Amino acid sequence: MRLTKQSSYAIRSLIYCAVNAPELSRVADIAKAYSISELFLFKLIKPLVEDGIIETVRGRHGGIRLGRPANEITLLDVIKRTEESFALAECFEDDGVISCPLHVGCELSSALSEALQAFFNVLESYTIADLSDKKRNLRARLGIDLGEPLLAAH
C-alpha cells in the first residue's frame, strides 16, 4: 500500500501549520517549503477545510492554521479525507464485480482486511502533534523564521 502525494503533502502541510503556530501559515510559504505548486496545495487542503482540520483566514494578512489542536488530529483523520480508496484487492472494491471464485469465505480477503485494520490502528495512534514535536528543528528545515518566539503548547 502506498499513500498518494495528496495524503503525504496534506500531512506535511499540517506539520508546517503546527510548527508555525500560533502564526497563520501562507499557502505560498508552505508550497515553497515543499517545492510543490500552490494550486496543488489548494486542492489538497480543500477537503481538510471542509472537515475542520484546517481553518482559513481571508484577507490581506490571511492564511491557514490548524482547525483543532494538533494533538486531536490523527494521521487517520487526514488520510481518510485524502485517499480515494483503501482497496487492497479487487474484492475490497465497491463496484460489485468480483471475478474470483474464492471470494466467499476467502482467507486472503480476511488477511488483507486484518492488515488494513492494523494499518488504520497505527495511523490513529499518531497525531500531528507527535510529528511536529521538535519545533525548533522543523522550523529551521522548513525555512520558517526562527526569530519568532516559540510556544510550548501544540
Side-chain angles (χ1 to χ4, degrees):
M1 172 157 211
R2 181 181 176 141
L3 295 178
T4 61
K5 285 183 182 180
Q6 287 86 343
S7 292
S8 178
Y9 284 109
I11 292 166
R12 294 178 201 193
S13 297
L14 293 170
I15 292 169
Y16 187 104
C17 290
V19 300
N20 195 39
E23 302 298 318
L24 290 174
S25 298
R26 293 181 16 173
V27 169
D29 294 337
I30 298 170
K32 181 180 177 185
Y34 294 120
S35 300
I36 58 174
S37 78
E38 289 180 42
L39 182 60
F40 175 70
L41 187 54
F42 276 117
K43 286 180 182 177
L44 71 87
I45 65 173
K46 186 177 186 280
L48 301 177
V49 171
E50 291 168 357
D51 271 9
I53 294 172
I54 287 180
E55 183 177 277
T56 60
V57 177
R58 295 187 182 269
R60 183 175 168 172
H61 300 288
I64 62 172
R65 63 181 166 219
L66 298 181
R68 352 189 256 256
N71 65 350
E72 294 179 14
I73 303 170
T74 69
L75 296 183
L76 184 60
D77 294 334
V78 179
I79 69 152
K80 282 206 168 182
R81 282 300 283 155
T82 55
E83 290 294 320
E84 288 185 23
S85 171
F86 294 101
L88 298 179
E90 77 175 291
C91 51
F92 280 70
E93 295 173 4
D94 292 330
D95 62 7
V97 179
I98 301 173
S99 60
C100 179
L102 302 176
H103 76 275
V104 176
C106 177
E107 292 304 316
L108 174 60
S109 179
S110 295
L112 292 176
S113 183
E114 187 178 335
L116 184 60
Q117 188 57 53
F119 178 65
F120 287 163
N121 291 343
V122 170
L123 291 175
E124 192 170 38
S125 74
Y126 284 91
T127 66
I128 296 301
D130 296 328
L131 303 182
S132 61
D133 194 31
K134 296 181 169 98
K135 281 190 175 191
R136 182 164 297 279
N137 182 30
L138 289 171
R139 287 173 68 92
R141 291 169 54 195
L142 291 170
I144 300 172
D145 180 20
L146 291 174
E148 300 171 15
L150 294 175
L151 298 179
H154 292 275

